[in-house]
Amino acid sequence: MPEALVTAEAPVTGRGAARMTDTVRAEWTKLRTLPSTWWLLIAIVVCTVGVGALTSGALSVGDCLERRTCDEDTVELSLTGVWVGQAAMAVFGVLTVTSEYGTGTIRPTLTAIPSRLRMLAAKAVVVAGLAALTGAVSVLGSLYAGRMLVLDAGFTTETGYPPISLTDGPTLRAAVGAVLYFVCVALIGLGLGAALRDTAGTLTGVLVLLYGFPLVAGMLADPDWVEKAQRVSPTSAGLSVLATRNLDALPIGPWAGLG
């Protein structure tokens, strides 16, 4: 009897895996054939690397010497563009699902894939993969630009700043964390889009979620409430993973904040 059950169940499992693979392939085909997908992903890279380069280029070791202290987090500053690039990443995640509801193409999608859970899981796999790839390109580009610019600004080994390198533990953690943060933002956009099914409403909600909390925290007068707001803010907590210096001053630890 156990052998019969195994024999009977094996094809079902195989068909289930095949169906999931086909669904992921279908979602990938839909996304890659949309011009907006590639424009958004390019915008993420440009915004992230560009803003990070502008921030790093504005540094000067002379300013540190005037203050008689030099404690700049050059890695975190090089990745400042993540704060801007996350907006385009959120839009990418939102449009992945709400565009189908807006155009009505969700009907043939659900006709071909009756299981909404399988459809959403397939979208999440494709979105997470593209977000991770785009995030990796953005982060590596930002760190490379930051490495060159901070050296030109005088932040050298002699001043207590070794060159930015992924062989450094905190820098590697910041880089990996930044990529994971991008993936989380894309999946948040996807999840809210699936729940609200409206592009304008979802974009408003996700942008308020990402940028509203930090603005509220900045308007609070009580330091204790400021710290509490930063701990629950997705952006403030999540981007704590970018810090490589003065970790004790963070409202929440790097990995805990990302989590």
Side-chain angles (χ1 to χ4, degrees), residues 195-212:
L196 301 180
R197 304 179 184 181
D198 175 71
T199 300
T202 305
L203 287 177
T204 300
V206 74
L207 292 179
V208 167
L209 186 67
L210 293 177
Y211 295 105

mmCIF file of all heavy atoms in Angstrom, residues 195-212:
data_model
loop_
_atom_site.group_PDB
_atom_site.id
_atom_site.type_symbol
_atom_site.label_atom_id
_atom_site.label_comp_id
_atom_site.label_asym_id
_atom_site.label_seq_id
_atom_site.Cartn_x
_atom_site.Cartn_y
_atom_site.Cartn_z
ATOM 1 N N ALA A 195 -2.974 43.578 -2.935
ATOM 2 C CA ALA A 195 -4.046 43.802 -1.966
ATOM 3 C C ALA A 195 -4.992 44.916 -2.409
ATOM 4 O O ALA A 195 -6.213 44.801 -2.282
ATOM 5 C CB ALA A 195 -3.445 44.136 -0.600
ATOM 6 N N LEU A 196 -4.424 46.013 -2.947
ATOM 7 C CA LEU A 196 -5.241 47.187 -3.291
ATOM 8 C C LEU A 196 -5.711 47.183 -4.747
ATOM 9 O O LEU A 196 -6.755 47.757 -5.058
ATOM 10 C CB LEU A 196 -4.451 48.464 -3.003
ATOM 11 C CG LEU A 196 -3.981 48.653 -1.562
ATOM 12 C CD1 LEU A 196 -3.207 49.958 -1.414
ATOM 13 C CD2 LEU A 196 -5.165 48.626 -0.591
ATOM 14 N N ARG A 197 -4.922 46.609 -5.649
ATOM 15 C CA ARG A 197 -5.285 46.454 -7.064
ATOM 16 C C ARG A 197 -5.504 47.791 -7.779
ATOM 17 O O ARG A 197 -6.192 47.834 -8.803
ATOM 18 C CB ARG A 197 -6.541 45.579 -7.203
ATOM 19 C CG ARG A 197 -6.400 44.219 -6.555
ATOM 20 C CD ARG A 197 -7.646 43.401 -6.701
ATOM 21 N NE ARG A 197 -7.548 42.131 -5.993
ATOM 22 C CZ ARG A 197 -8.497 41.206 -5.972
ATOM 23 N NH1 ARG A 197 -9.628 41.417 -6.645
ATOM 24 N NH2 ARG A 197 -8.328 40.092 -5.292
ATOM 25 N N ASP A 198 -4.966 48.847 -7.246
ATOM 26 C CA ASP A 198 -5.103 50.170 -7.859
ATOM 27 C C ASP A 198 -3.740 50.842 -7.865
ATOM 28 O O ASP A 198 -3.099 50.956 -6.808
ATOM 29 C CB ASP A 198 -6.113 51.021 -7.079
ATOM 30 C CG ASP A 198 -6.204 52.442 -7.604
ATOM 31 O OD1 ASP A 198 -6.748 52.636 -8.705
ATOM 32 O OD2 ASP A 198 -5.710 53.359 -6.912
ATOM 33 N N THR A 199 -3.294 51.293 -9.041
ATOM 34 C CA THR A 199 -1.937 51.829 -9.157
ATOM 35 C C THR A 199 -1.747 53.088 -8.331
ATOM 36 O O THR A 199 -0.799 53.191 -7.541
ATOM 37 C CB THR A 199 -1.611 52.124 -10.632
ATOM 38 O OG1 THR A 199 -1.705 50.910 -11.384
ATOM 39 C CG2 THR A 199 -0.200 52.681 -10.768
ATOM 40 N N ALA A 200 -2.635 54.071 -8.481
ATOM 41 C CA ALA A 200 -2.474 55.347 -7.778
ATOM 42 C C ALA A 200 -2.524 55.156 -6.267
ATOM 43 O O ALA A 200 -1.688 55.685 -5.528
ATOM 44 C CB ALA A 200 -3.547 56.332 -8.232
ATOM 45 N N GLY A 201 -3.508 54.409 -5.795
ATOM 46 C CA GLY A 201 -3.643 54.191 -4.355
ATOM 47 C C GLY A 201 -2.473 53.430 -3.774
ATOM 48 O O GLY A 201 -1.976 53.750 -2.688
ATOM 49 N N THR A 202 -1.995 52.410 -4.511
ATOM 50 C CA THR A 202 -0.874 51.606 -4.018
ATOM 51 C C THR A 202 0.409 52.416 -3.992
ATOM 52 O O THR A 202 1.185 52.345 -3.032
ATOM 53 C CB THR A 202 -0.684 50.357 -4.883
ATOM 54 O OG1 THR A 202 -1.898 49.627 -4.945
ATOM 55 C CG2 THR A 202 0.395 49.471 -4.303
ATOM 56 N N LEU A 203 0.660 53.202 -5.060
ATOM 57 C CA LEU A 203 1.868 54.030 -5.087
ATOM 58 C C LEU A 203 1.858 55.042 -3.952
ATOM 59 O O LEU A 203 2.893 55.266 -3.304
ATOM 60 C CB LEU A 203 1.981 54.751 -6.432
ATOM 61 C CG LEU A 203 2.377 53.891 -7.626
ATOM 62 C CD1 LEU A 203 2.389 54.719 -8.905
ATOM 63 C CD2 LEU A 203 3.753 53.264 -7.404
ATOM 64 N N THR A 204 0.707 55.637 -3.691
ATOM 65 C CA THR A 204 0.610 56.579 -2.570
ATOM 66 C C THR A 204 0.923 55.881 -1.254
ATOM 67 O O THR A 204 1.697 56.385 -0.435
ATOM 68 C CB THR A 204 -0.800 57.187 -2.510
ATOM 69 O OG1 THR A 204 -1.078 57.871 -3.735
ATOM 70 C CG2 THR A 204 -0.915 58.165 -1.351
ATOM 71 N N GLY A 205 0.337 54.717 -1.068
ATOM 72 C CA GLY A 205 0.551 53.988 0.172
ATOM 73 C C GLY A 205 1.988 53.573 0.381
ATOM 74 O O GLY A 205 2.547 53.743 1.474
ATOM 75 N N VAL A 206 2.635 53.037 -0.657
ATOM 76 C CA VAL A 206 3.995 52.541 -0.497
ATOM 77 C C VAL A 206 4.984 53.698 -0.328
ATOM 78 O O VAL A 206 5.949 53.593 0.454
ATOM 79 C CB VAL A 206 4.393 51.630 -1.678
ATOM 80 C CG1 VAL A 206 4.665 52.420 -2.939
ATOM 81 C CG2 VAL A 206 5.614 50.789 -1.326
ATOM 82 N N LEU A 207 4.767 54.824 -1.000
ATOM 83 C CA LEU A 207 5.676 55.960 -0.849
ATOM 84 C C LEU A 207 5.516 56.611 0.520
ATOM 85 O O LEU A 207 6.505 57.063 1.118
ATOM 86 C CB LEU A 207 5.431 56.978 -1.965
ATOM 87 C CG LEU A 207 5.835 56.501 -3.370
ATOM 88 C CD1 LEU A 207 5.522 57.560 -4.412
ATOM 89 C CD2 LEU A 207 7.319 56.122 -3.421
ATOM 90 N N VAL A 208 4.285 56.657 1.020
ATOM 91 C CA VAL A 208 4.085 57.164 2.390
ATOM 92 C C VAL A 208 4.763 56.239 3.389
ATOM 93 O O VAL A 208 5.387 56.687 4.357
ATOM 94 C CB VAL A 208 2.573 57.289 2.698
ATOM 95 C CG1 VAL A 208 2.345 57.509 4.191
ATOM 96 C CG2 VAL A 208 1.963 58.443 1.908
ATOM 97 N N LEU A 209 4.653 54.937 3.141
ATOM 98 C CA LEU A 209 5.281 53.965 4.036
ATOM 99 C C LEU A 209 6.797 54.138 4.065
ATOM 100 O O LEU A 209 7.429 54.062 5.125
ATOM 101 C CB LEU A 209 4.932 52.550 3.572
ATOM 102 C CG LEU A 209 5.384 51.387 4.459
ATOM 103 C CD1 LEU A 209 4.652 51.413 5.777
ATOM 104 C CD2 LEU A 209 5.133 50.062 3.738
ATOM 105 N N LEU A 210 7.393 54.407 2.893
ATOM 106 C CA LEU A 210 8.852 54.499 2.808
ATOM 107 C C LEU A 210 9.383 55.861 3.243
ATOM 108 O O LEU A 210 10.443 55.947 3.863
ATOM 109 C CB LEU A 210 9.306 54.218 1.371
ATOM 110 C CG LEU A 210 9.083 52.791 0.849
ATOM 111 C CD1 LEU A 210 9.501 52.690 -0.603
ATOM 112 C CD2 LEU A 210 9.840 51.775 1.694
ATOM 113 N N TYR A 211 8.671 56.927 2.906
ATOM 114 C CA TYR A 211 9.202 58.269 3.162
ATOM 115 C C TYR A 211 8.440 59.032 4.240
ATOM 116 O O TYR A 211 8.947 60.013 4.786
ATOM 117 C CB TYR A 211 9.191 59.091 1.865
ATOM 118 C CG TYR A 211 10.110 58.547 0.811
ATOM 119 C CD1 TYR A 211 9.620 57.856 -0.290
ATOM 120 C CD2 TYR A 211 11.489 58.706 0.918
ATOM 121 C CE1 TYR A 211 10.465 57.345 -1.259
ATOM 122 C CE2 TYR A 211 12.344 58.199 -0.048
ATOM 123 C CZ TYR A 211 11.832 57.514 -1.134
ATOM 124 O OH TYR A 211 12.679 57.005 -2.084
ATOM 125 N N GLY A 212 7.220 58.614 4.530
ATOM 126 C CA GLY A 212 6.419 59.332 5.521
ATOM 127 C C GLY A 212 6.937 59.178 6.941
ATOM 128 O O GLY A 212 7.046 60.152 7.690
#
